[in-house]
Amino acid sequence: ESLSPLQRDILAVLEEWPTFEMAEAAAPANVKDWALPRDIIRSLGMPKTGATRATISRALLRLHEKGLVARASGELADVGKSFHYLRISNPANAGAGNNGPSIILGTARRHTKHAR
C-alpha cells in the first residue's frame, strides 16, 4: 500500500529519532524521548495551527495502522497531551505502543455545591 507524500515526509523526519526497537532496548516503556506531533510539525516547517495538528495526527494514525510507527502516550498524561511516535524497523512490532495513558491527570471534574 502506497504512502502519501506527507506520510513519507513524516517517516523521513522520524529518521532523526531512534527506532522503536532501539528505544525499547535502551529504556523499555519510556516514551519521553519519542517524537511528538509538534516536533514533526516543526521539522517539516509547517504552520502551527489546529488544522496542521489534525492533518499530522491523522497521517500518524494511518502510519500506526499500517504498522510503520509505534504510538504511545506516557503513563502520566495530561488530558489533551498528544501521543508520542517512533518509527518501527521490524514489521513484527506493528501495533507497538499503547492506546492511551493508564493514568490520566487533570480530568475535568464537575464541582457541585454541597447542600448543608
Side-chain angles (χ1 to χ4, degrees), residues 13 16 22 34 43 53 60 63-65 80 99:
V13 166
E16 299 165 26
M22 288 160 50
W34 292 31
S43 292
R53 279 193 298 278
L60 283 161
L63 287 168
H64 178 65
E65 290 167 350
N99 291 321

Side-chain angles (χ1 to χ4, degrees), residues 36-80:
L36 286 164
R38 68 169 176 258
D39 300 322
I40 295 164
I41 290 166
R42 189 181 313 120
S43 292
L44 292 174
M46 295 173 80
K48 293 180 187 138
T49 62
T52 300
R53 279 193 298 278
T55 299
I56 293 292
S57 290
R58 256 193 318 276
L60 283 161
L61 180 60
R62 299 283 177 273
L63 287 168
H64 178 65
E65 290 167 350
K66 290 174 194 265
L68 298 173
V69 298
R71 171 182 191 248
S73 69
E75 283 299 298
L76 297 170
D78 293 319
V79 173

Side-chain angles (χ1 to χ4, degrees), residues 19-24 29 31 34 60-61 63-73 83-100:
T19 61
F20 166 74
E21 290 76 9
M22 288 160 50
E24 277 296 286
V31 301
W34 292 31
L60 283 161
L61 180 60
L63 287 168
H64 178 65
E65 290 167 350
K66 290 174 194 265
L68 298 173
V69 298
R71 171 182 191 248
S73 69
F83 280 95
H84 297 65
Y85 296 88
L86 285 180
R87 209 166 28 90
I88 288 175
S89 56
N90 179 347
N93 291 322
N98 60 45
N99 291 321

Side-chain angles (χ1 to χ4, degrees), residues 108-116:
R109 285 195 188 85
R110 288 204 191 316
H111 290 292
T112 53
K113 291 200 167 79
H114 297 289
R116 298 204 169 165

